[in-house]
Amino acid sequence: MFDRIAHRYDLINTVLSGGRDASWRRRTAAATRLGAEGRGLDVACGSGRLTAELRRRAAGGMVVGLDFSAGMLRIAGAGHTGPWVRGDGLSLPFPDGTFDAVTVAFGLRNFVRPEVGLKEMHRVLRRGGRAVVLEFLRPRADVVGSLYRSYLRHVLPRLGGLVSGQPGAYRYLSDTVDSYRTPEELLAMAGGAGWREASLESLTLGTVGILSGSR
């Protein structure tokens, strides 16, 4: 599915987020506290936009982009320099304590076992390193949450399908609304995966959040 939408993925994300996706990625990169000559890993990197933000912060270092989708990695490689690795976020092909920062942007929801993905992020971090996840949050039980749910259920699949030419892919995204975690659930999962000092920052009226922690 992600191979099929790779060529329009960035455009669709910008349209569906109302242009907020770039600022979300910048905030996510900043939350890693990755410095010059640092080593970073962007899991489920997609087209590589967050990976590129991390590389700007780690000038002189190395940031690896990893994704399960060969189509996404082709787009990433065409737009940005590597290294790019095809791999599974539930079984990262790196030794323990390799990276200063590990990120996932809008990928955790797609993991079959997200708690395993969080444990893998923790495993490949060095001591004192930062793990950061940018993810949609479950719509709240209030007026804003009702409007958000309606958007996800009805507007997003139609608009995403129109722009991408792959309506099935965006019906899938809509159908996963109820699998989104609440802030409390994400924090509990991070703690269970061994993350220290886990915290969550809500953005854009609580529709997305940045989950951060350390090893």
Side-chain angles (χ1 to χ4, degrees):
M1 181 185 74
F2 283 100
D3 286 348
R4 294 197 305 271
I5 64 174
H7 67 295
R8 291 286 182 90
Y9 187 71
D10 288 339
L11 172 62
I12 296 163
N13 284 347
T14 299
V15 170
L16 294 179
S17 70
R20 299 293 298 166
D21 58 315
S23 67
W24 295 340
R25 285 192 300 273
R26 287 193 296 271
R27 302 259 312 244
T28 301
T32 66
R33 303 175 191 168
L34 191 60
E37 302 186 359
R39 296 171 62 87
L41 172 65
D42 185 23
V43 181
C45 66
S47 62
R49 284 176 139 183
L50 176 56
T51 321
E53 289 286 349
L54 295 173
R55 286 177 182 153
R56 280 190 278 273
R57 297 185 63 87
M62 183 187 72
V63 176
V64 178
L66 178 143
D67 203 283
F68 198 70
S69 165
M72 284 293 188
L73 290 176
R74 281 194 293 272
I75 297 296
H80 310 281
T81 57
W84 306 103
V85 174
R86 189 178 185 197
D88 185 353
L90 304 186
S91 181
L92 296 172
F94 306 103
D96 296 0
T98 301
F99 299 100
D100 300 303
V102 183
T103 59
V104 174
F106 301 119
L108 188 69
R109 187 186 70 263
N110 297 315
F111 290 173
V112 175
R113 298 177 64 193
E115 67 283 357
V116 174
L118 294 177
K119 287 179 181 178
E120 279 291 276
M121 294 175 72
H122 179 266
R123 179 184 66 80
V124 300
L125 274 180
R126 66 164 179 81
R127 292 195 181 278
R130 298 279 294 171
V132 182
V133 170
L134 173 65
E135 189 53 273
F136 294 113
L137 299 176
R138 184 176 297 170
R140 302 191 309 253
D142 58 16
V143 173
V144 171
S146 296
L147 291 172
Y148 176 38
R149 180 179 289 272
S150 180
Y151 171 77
L152 293 172
R153 288 287 192 196
H154 304 295
V155 178
L156 184 147
R158 289 181 173 85
L159 186 56
L162 178 66
V163 176
S164 69
Q166 297 290 333
Y170 286 88
R171 280 197 300 273
Y172 158 80
L173 185 59
S174 175
D175 289 344
T176 62
V177 171
D178 291 323
S179 72
Y180 294 6
R181 268 68 178 185
T182 65
E184 294 77 17
E185 288 170 336
L186 285 172
L187 287 167
M189 287 175 62
W195 292 28
R196 294 180 60 250
E197 300 175 342
S199 63
L200 188 138
E201 178 186 8
S202 294
L203 304 174
T204 316
L205 300 177
T207 56
V208 298
I210 297 176
L211 176 70
S212 303
S214 62
R215 177 172 179 174

